[in-house]
Amino acid sequence: MSLAYQQLVPLTLDACFHISIHSAKKLWAYFECLAHAQHLFIQQVSSGRYVTLIDHQNSNNQQYLVVQIRGAGVFWSFHSDKNGEWSIVEGYSTGEER
């Protein structure tokens, strides 16, 4: 298992306590897509930095997970739409932008 996935496993397990298992599986699949695309989020995690789950919200059938790349001070927000598909936004400093 690559370093990036080793770092993402705790995040995904932590998220499972907040979101459904089905949604968590989709999130894990989305992480795999990011890895194949060499996404900046995966590159930052692969550089040996750790991710921390900062916030979770579920409203109007949409879910939000905000994570921080520790050591870099960078925040990312993962959004699940009404169909359960995930997307990602970089640069959240707080959850207020949501």
Side-chain angles (χ1 to χ4, degrees):
M1 183 181 285
S2 70
L3 178 61
Y5 286 126
Q6 291 176 30
Q7 301 303 332
L8 291 174
V9 167
L11 169 68
T12 307
L13 292 176
D14 196 5
C16 285
F17 289 102
H18 301 282
I19 63 179
S20 71
I21 296 299
H22 177 71
S23 188
K25 287 180 179 178
K26 281 194 167 187
L27 179 60
W28 184 255
Y30 185 66
F31 285 150
E32 289 181 322
C33 290
L34 293 180
H36 290 305
Q38 296 292 311
H39 192 277
L40 182 57
F41 175 81
I42 298 294
Q43 291 175 2
Q44 288 175 340
V45 174
S46 296
S47 69
R49 301 183 190 277
Y50 293 88
V51 292
T52 305
L53 180 63
I54 300 296
D55 187 28
H56 169 265
Q57 290 187 15
N58 188 351
S59 62
N60 299 324
N61 293 325
Q62 293 185 326
Q63 296 189 70
Y64 306 90
L65 290 173
V66 178
V67 299
Q68 181 183 22
I69 306 292
R70 286 190 297 184
V74 178
F75 291 80
W76 295 84
S77 176
F78 293 88
H79 301 240
S80 175
D81 64 19
K82 293 180 182 180
N83 297 320
E85 300 301 322
W86 288 92
S87 59
I88 186 171
V89 176
E90 178 186 12
Y92 275 41
S93 58
T94 69
E96 296 173 0
E97 292 92 1
R98 290 182 259 145

